[in-house]
Amino acid sequence: MVQITLTVNAEPVDAAFAPYKTLLEVLREDLNLCGTKHGCELGECGACAVLLDGQPVLSCLVLGVDCGGRTVTTVEGLASDGRLHPLQETFADLGAAQCGYCTPGFLVTAKALLDEHPRPTRDQIRDALSGNLCRCTGYQQIYEAVEAAIGQAGPKGPALRDTRTDASSVRRPGPFGPGTDQSR
Amino acid sequence: MRRRRWPVADPNTTPYVGRAMKRIEDPRLIRGEGTYTDDLRLPGMVHAAILRSPHAHARIRKIDTTAAKAIPGVVAVLTGADVNASCGLVPCAAAIPDLKAPKHTVLAGDRVYFVGHAVAVAVASDPYIARDAIEAIDVDYDPLPVVTNAEDAVKIGSPLTHPDLGSNVAYTHNVSGGGNIDEAFRKADRIVKHRLYHQRLTPMPIEPRGVVASYHTGEGTLTLWTATQIPHLIRTLLPGMIGVPENKMRIVAPEVGGGFGAKLNVYPEEALIAHLAMRLHTPVKWIESRRDNAAATIHGRDQVGEYEVAVKNDGTILGLKSKTIADLGSYLQLLTPAVPTLTGLVLTGCYTIPAVKMEIVGVYTNKMATDAYRGAGRPEATYLIERLMDVVAQELKIDRLDLRLKHFPAPGDFPFPTSCGLVYDSGNYAAALTKAKQLANWDQLLKDRAAARAAGKLSGIGVSTYVEICAMGPSKAMPAGGWEWGCVRMEISAKVTVITGVSPHGQGQETTFAQIVADRVGVPIEDVVILHGDTSVAHYGRDTYGSRGTAVGGTAIVMCIDKMIAKAKTLAAHLFETTSDHVVFENGRFTSPGVTNRVITWPELAGEFYVAKNLPPGLEPGLEASSFFEPQNFTFPFGTHICAVDLDRDTGHVKITKYVAVDDCGPQINPLIVEGQVQGGIAHSIGQVLFEQTIYNEDGQLVTGEFMDYAIPRAHDIPDYILGSTVTPSPINPLGVKGVGEAGTIGATPAIANAVMDALEPLGITHMNLPMTPEKVWQAIKTKT
């Protein structure tokens, strides 16, 4: 067993674990933070993404013993003071989660993008998220959710129930939205 | 905030149905609080790891587990000889006449038949020790001849996958219908022939499979948590394998991280892990690795066929003949042999084709079993008929849209009986095509293509008009029944608890069902809870696959609501001192105009039902109803997809420059969810047409064993979609809904493939197998320029 002290989701944590464990395994098995998912254990799918000192990493490729004194943010740490992170809001608003298994990895990766590039273009979003695999959504609702969170990322996000109806921000006609013709 | 395509639906406004409500599932998922199988921990739980065959075909001479058993922390190391007698055979539910089936034990007996075949299991105090233990097992294999190509497997002298069956042919299935096929071909001016290959695909849900089993020795009860789409079918089939009676078995599908058909199965591990929990008297967990998922979870597609179309010179199609070889892999999983027969059912697509004949030969090879992967048989049929329509149009120099329009049944022709023996419920195929053309700005697309070609570019446009089979299905057509069960209960607090037999795993039915229930019962949507995925809660069900959830499961719930309201009216009438026929129910309020001004609401009625002090004679206490819905037919969603591509002459890269999809799934309960299903489905097709292929080499080694080798689309591979819809209700269920889970995958593959072939047409290239990878496209361009 090895013992380290690190900061996880803004809390100092002492962790004792077998030295061969990855950060993913330490988080899930020793710190009981199961929000971060295992998808391949090969660094290929992004389901295990977390922020290490603010940078997105694949926690299945990071050894737990290398995390002493460092700062880890997982999906469980995105909300603060009972408020969801704006990305969590927009992911729900725009249907960016289906089965939800890849969602934690996308959320933290997108957070890292917005922290570094507050106004990314869609191509930048595509590139930033291309290490995260989603088999359900086809990604478009994920891009849109990230775009919708632009300008909102910061310590004070909106409340959980978002009832804004900013139709003027619509870029192209909604295929199913109100006012589009659906020939019956 | 930059863009929001629709306002977020106000949860205080009704009706809920038809609006883009935020999903009820999401608050837990976006916080990382969903509980998936791998998140479960039980006291005393031990961990299993499975040793799999590195050979595609071999005799097992000897297995030595001594070293593995000696590792500290190892609880048990077991082989087929230890467990197969207690675990029964892995079931295949498909009924195909004269099917030759190998015995499918949970661990290999004296032979292995594919790379990934489970050979032994180690159980240990933690998963790391279990993995070390399987590496310490010494298996002495004697490799045998291998066959991995289904067309080779039917040749005389081919190595046999299962020598005891005497042949690699599992079955031959003929579909024929409509008029006389020979006469159709005699009358033809021309016979257009084409060979089409539908490559093997790996479903690759991001959550691999996993099982946790716990056996209560005193009660003799088994609880099995498994990452599955079908907890109820497992509860039906597992008792026959491990001997625990159905009514002492609880199957739970917790949060499930994507299925796409890969989790529509009864797998050896489900019986094996259950058996281990019983045998070792402690809970056992097994979580699949990604490499195991690629090797030992079902694959899809893998059909190759020769197709012939009999046509008149004016484009009239007289008949369609085909011979398809379907690669089943080495074993029959739950529906393996049935999937290719679904191809035969929609072979004629959305066209009037008077005569049809299809021969399907199911073949064993030394590979993992194929089974139902998203669309299951319909993508294969749609790809072939839609490629054939383009090939016919090209040979006859007819406009490909005109050719399609010429063969559409008119809206008045529905219900439309097809030559393949189905009756399409409702449709307006031309309307979807027209709308897609509008959204795509079709005339401009043609001009752009002409300009691009004039500038020496390779630019193409592809179209597919599809129809598919959803809402599976009438019980007469489903091996284990196709009905669905539901239960709706109003609690004493007037909260509504809904239990469904379908088992959603990303489709959002906790939301769509709540929308339906809240509207029909007349309660706030927050007061509705949808329970699913646990056979001790949802006692009966037929689960989630074939886009059946809302059309079949939703209808069972509507039936429950109708019964519940009828019962409530009886009590309301009693309280109004009148008869039920004088009670009006609307928006959660019971009134009796002309009798009394009094209004009774649910809280009052619910209280009366449960305190039960003022019920009329003969009326039972409690307010709950359950129903089984038996659909009289499938439903048949349809649509038109249009795709434009540019090919890079130097790299062979295919860039999708425009993608338009118009899908008609009937009325949409939640357009946000419908859109997500369509977009996700199209992404599977982009993968299939441009990158994905499950490859075994000639020795039967799996080359595509992880995401580095099996390329599912990534974010930068996906274009911006333009989506539209038409709404043609189905007459088969009271909601009019058709289903939308597989439409994207069915409609998109031929649209994209047709676009690539259209781009290559000026070079005289008329055929390319899927997937149309940059290398293949580049090679094709190279040989013609």
Side-chain angles (χ1 to χ4, degrees):
Chain A
M1 295 290 258
V2 291
Q3 199 155 2
I4 60 167
T5 301
L6 70 169
T7 303
V8 179
N9 298 332
E11 300 271 343
V13 174
D14 290 321
F17 50 86
Y20 47 77
K21 283 196 178 184
T22 64
L23 175 59
L24 172 65
E25 290 156 351
V26 173
L27 288 169
R28 290 182 52 82
E29 296 167 10
D30 300 289
L31 300 178
N32 202 28
L33 290 168
C34 287
T36 305
K37 299 303 178 196
H38 107 91
C40 68
E41 296 160 330
L42 300 164
E44 297 168 1
C45 76
C48 67
V50 300
L51 302 185
L52 186 60
D53 297 332
Q55 293 298 311
V57 297
L58 300 170
S59 63
C60 74
L61 297 185
V62 176
L63 277 176
V65 291
D66 285 340
C67 296
R70 304 179 75 177
T71 299
V72 177
T73 305
T74 70
V75 67
E76 290 96 338
L78 290 184
S80 60
D81 299 333
R83 284 168 177 268
L84 293 176
H85 187 278
L87 280 162
Q88 291 173 303
E89 295 277 1
T90 56
F91 265 57
D93 284 352
L94 293 168
Q98 284 186 27
C99 80
Y101 200 78
C102 70
T103 307
F106 271 98
L107 283 168
V108 299
T109 308
K111 178 185 185 310
L113 170 70
L114 294 186
D115 287 348
E116 192 153 334
H117 300 285
R119 305 199 76 80
T121 62
R122 181 166 283 202
D123 281 342
Q124 285 174 316
I125 295 170
R126 281 196 173 100
D127 284 346
L129 298 181
S130 277
N132 294 73
L133 295 178
C134 171
R135 197 60 156 162
C136 293
T137 63
Y139 302 103
Q140 187 153 310
Q141 291 176 330
I142 295 175
Y143 313 146
E144 288 166 352
V146 176
E147 286 170 348
I150 288 172
Q152 297 182 59
K156 291 200 174 171
L160 175 59
R161 172 150 295 134
D162 182 351
T163 52
R164 285 159 301 172
T165 54
D166 185 5
S168 62
S169 65
V170 171
R171 189 187 62 145
R172 56 185 170 75
F176 309 108
T180 58
D181 85 299
Q182 298 198 338
S183 35
R184 275 176 191 273
Chain B
M1 195 178 72
R2 301 241 313 269
R3 297 171 199 150
R4 168 163 287 154
R5 282 153 308 124
W6 45 65
V8 174
D10 179 352
N12 298 314
T13 307
T14 54
Y16 299 109
V17 167
R19 291 162 63 229
M21 307 289 299
K22 286 162 77 161
R23 298 196 323 164
I24 289 167
E25 294 84 344
D26 281 339
R28 64 177 188 265
L29 300 179
I30 57 175
R31 289 181 173 92
E33 291 172 355
T35 302
Y36 299 82
T37 305
D38 195 16
D39 302 334
L40 296 166
R41 284 92 197 269
L42 302 181
M45 187 169 79
V46 294
H47 300 261
I50 292 171
L51 178 68
R52 297 184 184 277
S53 168
H55 296 283
H57 194 187
R59 186 176 294 109
I60 296 174
R61 285 208 199 95
K62 189 172 169 239
I63 304 178
D64 184 352
T65 59
T66 317
K69 283 174 177 161
I71 295 174
V74 169
V75 176
V77 182
L78 301 166
T79 67
D82 303 313
V83 303
N84 285 345
S86 308
C87 288
L89 297 176
V90 180
C92 172
I96 305 272
D98 303 323
L99 178 68
K100 280 188 193 170
K103 280 189 178 152
H104 188 180
T105 51
V106 299
L107 292 178
D110 60 355
R111 277 175 188 247
V112 288
Y113 295 103
F114 66 101
V115 167
H117 197 161
V119 171
V121 61
V123 185
S125 55
D126 76 35
Y128 309 95
I129 297 171
R131 271 178 252 160
D132 286 346
I134 59 172
E135 286 186 17
I137 299 171
D138 186 17
V139 186
D140 186 4
Y141 292 102
D142 179 15
L144 294 169
V146 168
V147 59
T148 58
N149 178 307
E151 288 181 285
D152 292 341
V154 296
K155 289 177 186 158
I156 294 166
S158 163
L160 294 179
T161 307
H162 298 280
D164 52 322
L165 295 182
S167 161
N168 286 323
V169 175
Y171 67 92
T172 301
H173 177 77
N174 288 296
V175 177
S176 60
N180 185 311
I181 191 77
D182 297 327
E183 196 182 314
F185 274 75
R186 267 200 306 277
K187 285 186 181 163
D189 292 331
R190 186 190 287 245
I191 292 163
V192 177
K193 296 186 182 181
H194 207 65
R195 177 187 157 87
L196 286 165
Y197 170 60
H198 218 88
Q199 82 270 37
R200 179 175 279 242
L201 298 175
T202 308
M204 291 288 199
I206 306 300
E207 181 204 32
R209 291 189 293 121
V211 181
V212 176
S214 175
Y215 185 70
H216 190 298
T217 312
E219 295 172 356
T221 52
L222 175 80
T223 305
L224 189 83
W225 292 263
T226 174
T228 187
Q229 300 171 224
I230 53 162
H232 294 93
L233 289 173
I234 291 175
R235 184 172 173 265
T236 298
L237 293 164
L238 203 55
M241 298 178 75
I242 59 169
V244 176
E246 186 181 4
N247 53 4
K248 291 195 168 190
M249 189 180 287
R250 173 188 176 200
I251 311 293
V252 186
E255 208 82 69
V256 174
F260 318 111
K263 296 170 183 170
L264 192 194
N265 233 300
V266 180
Y267 282 101
E269 292 86 352
E270 280 153 341
L272 177 64
I273 302 302
H275 169 70
L276 292 174
M278 294 164 70
R279 183 177 185 132
L280 302 173
H281 305 287
T282 194
V284 182
K285 181 182 201 174
W286 167 76
I287 299 296
E288 190 180 51
S289 69
R290 176 55 54 187
R291 287 202 174 103
D292 284 1
N293 179 268
T297 289
I298 63 104
H299 297 157
R301 321 285 193 250
D302 212 346
Q303 296 182 14
V304 60
E306 308 278 351
Y307 303 93
E308 295 179 47
V309 190
V311 287
K312 302 292 277 184
N313 283 331
D314 68 356
T316 306
I317 297 174
L318 302 175
L320 173 60
K321 244 193 310 206
S322 81
K323 182 166 179 172
T324 293
I325 292 181
D327 188 333
L328 307 177
S330 58
Y331 276 124
L332 303 180
Q333 282 284 341
L334 191 63
L335 300 167
T336 300
V339 172
T341 67
L342 278 172
T343 305
L345 279 180
V346 273
L347 194 61
T348 54
C350 46
Y351 310 112
T352 305
I353 297 179
V356 61
K357 179 168 187 265
M358 183 178 192
E359 181 189 274
I360 299 161
V361 182
V363 177
Y364 291 117
T365 58
N366 293 110
K367 300 192 281 191
M368 179 59 200
T370 49
D371 204 306
Y373 163 56
R374 200 168 190 173
R378 292 99 84 203
E380 293 91 322
T382 308
Y383 174 65
L384 71 89
I385 187 68
E386 289 305 305
R387 272 301 297 140
L388 288 174
M389 292 306 270
D390 269 23
V391 171
V392 167
Q394 202 178 335
E395 286 210 11
L396 296 178
K397 301 195 169 31
I398 301 175
D399 181 86
R400 53 194 164 158
L401 298 190
D402 290 344
L403 181 69
R404 286 172 167 85
L405 281 163
K406 182 183 169 77
H407 293 88
F408 283 165
D413 294 342
F414 292 87
F416 175 71
T418 75
S419 299
C420 298
L422 294 173
V423 178
Y424 293 170
D425 58 342
S426 62
N428 188 344
Y429 302 156
L433 175 57
T434 303
K435 184 154 185 185
K437 280 176 71 181
Q438 279 166 6
L439 286 175
N441 202 349
W442 179 257
D443 293 336
Q444 188 61 42
L445 265 189
L446 295 178
K447 282 182 200 156
D448 292 348
R449 181 183 64 177
R453 285 179 176 177
K457 289 185 180 160
L458 294 174
S459 183
I461 305 169
V463 179
S464 91
T465 55
Y466 75 90
V467 63
E468 62 125 341
I469 312 171
C470 277
M472 298 196 179
S475 290
K476 62 178 188 255
M478 308 296 290
W483 44 263
E484 194 45 79
W485 176 87
C487 174
V488 175
R489 180 171 69 239
M490 181 165 283
E491 313 284 1
I492 193 169
S493 56
K495 304 282 185 194
V496 182
T497 304
V498 178
I499 309 168
T500 176
V502 303
S503 191
H505 43 280
Q507 296 88 345
Q509 266 124 0
E510 289 175 35
T511 307
T512 47
F513 284 6
Q515 289 177 265
I516 293 167
V517 171
D519 274 354
R520 290 186 178 241
V521 179
V523 294
I525 197 162
E526 291 89 341
D527 287 354
V528 182
V529 166
I530 310 294
L531 302 178
H532 60 82
D534 180 343
T535 63
S536 70
V537 174
H539 302 136
Y540 256 103
R542 279 297 171 256
D543 308 313
T544 290
Y545 46 86
S547 299
R548 66 192 306 278
T550 307
V552 189
T555 299
I557 289 166
V558 168
M559 291 165 67
C560 297
I561 294 169
D562 291 347
K563 285 185 194 170
M564 190 177 84
I565 291 171
K567 185 175 180 184
K569 275 186 171 179
T570 306
L571 178 56
H574 176 68
L575 299 174
F576 288 145
E577 297 179 1
T578 181
T579 52
S580 295
D581 52 339
H582 289 96
V583 176
V584 175
F585 173 73
E586 202 174 20
N587 297 327
R589 292 152 52 94
F590 295 82
T591 55
S592 189
V595 175
T596 169
N597 290 331
R598 216 180 133 195
V599 175
I600 298 180
T601 57
W602 281 118
E604 182 183 344
L605 267 189
E608 292 286 0
F609 265 113
Y610 287 94
V611 299
K613 301 205 175 4
N614 188 17
L615 299 180
L619 191 67
E620 291 177 14
L623 187 51
E624 119 173 0
S626 64
S627 281
F628 287 80
F629 172 57
E630 171 62 46
Q632 295 306 304
N633 191 359
F634 302 103
T635 61
F636 297 89
F638 59 90
T640 296
H641 287 212
I642 296 174
C643 175
V645 298
D646 284 339
L647 311 189
D648 186 322
R649 280 179 183 271
D650 297 326
T651 65
H653 181 77
V654 176
K655 181 177 169 61
I656 296 175
T657 55
K658 188 168 233 177
Y659 200 95
V660 173
V662 172
D663 296 281
D664 191 325
C665 59
Q668 299 181 5
I669 309 295
N670 186 329
L672 180 69
I673 288 174
V674 169
E675 188 188 82
Q677 288 291 318
V678 171
Q679 291 178 349
I682 296 170
H684 281 236
S685 289
I686 290 173
Q688 166 159 27
V689 179
L690 302 181
F691 329 108
E692 291 181 32
Q693 180 169 23
T694 309
I695 299 169
Y696 286 87
N697 71 12
E698 59 193 20
D699 299 326
Q701 290 299 320
L702 179 62
V703 177
T704 48
E706 52 182 275
F707 287 123
M708 291 300 276
D709 309 308
Y710 188 85
I712 76 169
R714 292 173 180 270
H716 59 206
D717 299 317
I718 301 294
D720 291 340
Y721 307 117
I722 300 169
L723 303 188
S725 61
T726 57
V727 178
T728 308
S730 171
I732 302 305
N733 63 69
L735 293 164
V737 297
K738 292 196 167 194
V740 73
E742 294 135 304
T745 306
I746 290 165
T749 301
I752 303 164
N754 281 343
V756 176
M757 295 314 298
D758 185 52
L760 293 169
E761 196 248 316
L763 301 179
I765 298 164
T766 55
H767 180 70
M768 183 181 293
N769 278 343
L770 296 176
M772 297 168 173
T773 56
E775 183 197 2
K776 227 184 269 178
V777 172
W778 182 82
Q779 291 282 6
I781 296 169
K782 199 81 182 152
T783 57
K784 295 287 182 173
T785 51

